[in-house]
């Protein structure tokens, strides 16, 4: 049932998905490499799989789960930027999966694997770029840290997608 206090678009199922996303974020935080960047970021695979299989209407759960799990000590511009980047990431992956794989969720043929990898690579690059820009805008990192932070972010998100997305599909 939708909650009229927030919006007709935010339903109790979105809150449940946000809670599951939050748990996946906590799993990612358990394997931090540098600062808030993790070696494996499971929410990417989870959210991309849900948005691909169940539809893009599940995006509020991604935003809510991300905001619930965000480090509140970060500058607001960084929090908003990272949340936007994480949402864009899973939307891009889900949309590309739809275009490259169609609505058939299986990755049971060898020709489907590179298509899934392209979707993951592009989506995670979007998040790494937006995330780095939000860290720069908030003064959390300097320009000298961008290459390392981008690479770590991109690889962590890619690993999270590579671990969970095939299992979900």
């Amino acid at each position: 049932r939708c909650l009229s206090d927030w919006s007709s678009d935010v339903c109790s199922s979105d809150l449940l998905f946000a809670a599951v996303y939050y748990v996946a974020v906590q799993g990612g935080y358990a394997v931090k490499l540098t600062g808030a960047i993790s070696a494996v970021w499971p929410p990417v695979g989870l959210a991309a799989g849900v948005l691909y299989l169940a539809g893009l209407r599940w995006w509020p759960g991604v935003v809510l789960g991300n905001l619930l799990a965000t480090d509140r000590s970060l500058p607001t511009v960084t929090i908003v930027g990272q949340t936007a980047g994480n949402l864009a990431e899973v939307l891009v992956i889900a949309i590309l999966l739809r275009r490259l794989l169609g609505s058939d969720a299986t990755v049971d043929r060898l020709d489907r694997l590179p298509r899934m990898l392209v979707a993951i690579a592009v989506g995670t690059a979007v998040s790494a770029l937006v995330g780095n820009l939000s860290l720069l805008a908030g003064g959390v990192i300097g320009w000298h840290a961008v290459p390392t932070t981008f690479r770590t972010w991109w690889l962590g998100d890619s690993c999270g997608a590579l671990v969970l997305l095939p299992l979900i599909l």
Side-chain angles (χ1 to χ4, degrees):
R1 178 182 138 206
C2 292
L3 302 174
S4 59
D5 294 348
W6 290 11
S7 163
S8 61
D9 292 337
V10 179
C11 299
S12 57
S13 56
D14 293 318
L15 297 176
L16 177 61
F17 178 47
V20 173
Y21 186 93
Y22 176 86
V23 170
V25 167
Q26 297 310 310
Y29 282 157
V31 287
K32 283 186 185 179
L33 288 178
T34 59
I37 302 172
S38 298
V40 178
W41 194 244
V44 176
L46 170 70
V50 168
L51 294 178
Y52 170 70
L53 292 174
L56 300 180
R57 69 134 325 276
W58 288 87
W59 71 267
V62 174
V63 173
L64 292 172
N66 198 79
L67 288 173
L68 287 172
T70 297
D71 179 0
R72 302 270 191 282
S73 68
L74 292 170
T76 302
V77 68
T78 301
I79 292 170
V80 170
Q82 288 180 349
T83 300
N86 289 342
L87 176 60
E89 170 181 50
V90 296
L91 287 170
V92 166
I93 292 171
I95 290 167
L96 285 175
L97 285 173
R98 282 275 175 189
R99 295 212 186 272
L100 298 173
L101 296 178
S103 60
D104 183 11
T106 61
V107 184
D108 58 350
R109 296 190 325 254
L110 190 56
D111 68 320
R112 291 175 177 250
L113 181 62
R115 296 175 195 178
M116 182 183 71
L117 295 176
V118 165
I120 290 170
V122 172
T124 55
V126 167
S127 180
L129 176 63
V130 173
N132 268 274
L133 291 175
S134 69
L135 290 170
L136 280 168
V140 177
I141 64 170
W143 283 103
H144 67 281
V146 169
T148 302
T149 305
F150 182 92
R151 183 184 67 241
T152 305
W153 193 306
W154 183 73
L155 289 173
D157 283 13
S158 295
C159 287
L162 289 170
V163 168
L164 281 184
L165 187 57
L167 294 174
I168 292 171
L169 298 183

